Amino acid sequence: GDIRFVGTSATVLELERTHDGTTIYAAINMSETEQSVDALSAGFQELESPGSGGLVEGGMLKLHPYGSYFAQQTPTAKAGETG
């Protein structure tokens, strides 16, 4: 699989991990204060995660202190596949 670091915040670690056509997005607030970053593009759906501490609101992803947020991108069919 592949990993790609996204975002420019010094306090929020954002990455996308892709494997077998599935992409998972993770945002982790590495600070003791609430942080906000741009919300994800369309096509991602939030994944339930105990104690995550993230909320998309008004075009922004708001993360609680030391909070995290996980989402999965809607898979797209590869060339030659149906479904």
Side-chain angles (χ1 to χ4, degrees):
D2 297 321
I3 189 167
R4 182 171 72 100
F5 293 93
V6 296
T8 59
S9 172
T11 56
V12 177
L13 173 65
E14 294 178 86
L15 61 94
E16 291 180 355
R17 172 81 165 102
T18 302
H19 182 70
D20 286 340
T22 299
T23 300
I24 302 294
Y25 167 85
I28 304 165
N29 180 358
M30 307 293 282
S31 78
E32 60 187 25
T33 59
E34 183 177 282
Q35 299 294 314
S36 294
V37 295
D38 289 333
L40 295 168
S41 61
F44 279 89
Q45 177 147 5
E46 181 177 0
L47 294 173
E48 290 188 33
S49 176
S52 63
L55 171 69
V56 175
E57 184 175 271
M60 299 298 292
L61 170 57
K62 297 181 179 184
L63 294 162
H64 299 301
Y66 303 109
S68 59
Y69 178 88
F70 300 92
Q72 180 175 345
Q73 188 173 36
T74 305
T76 56
K78 295 178 185 175
E81 291 182 348
T82 59

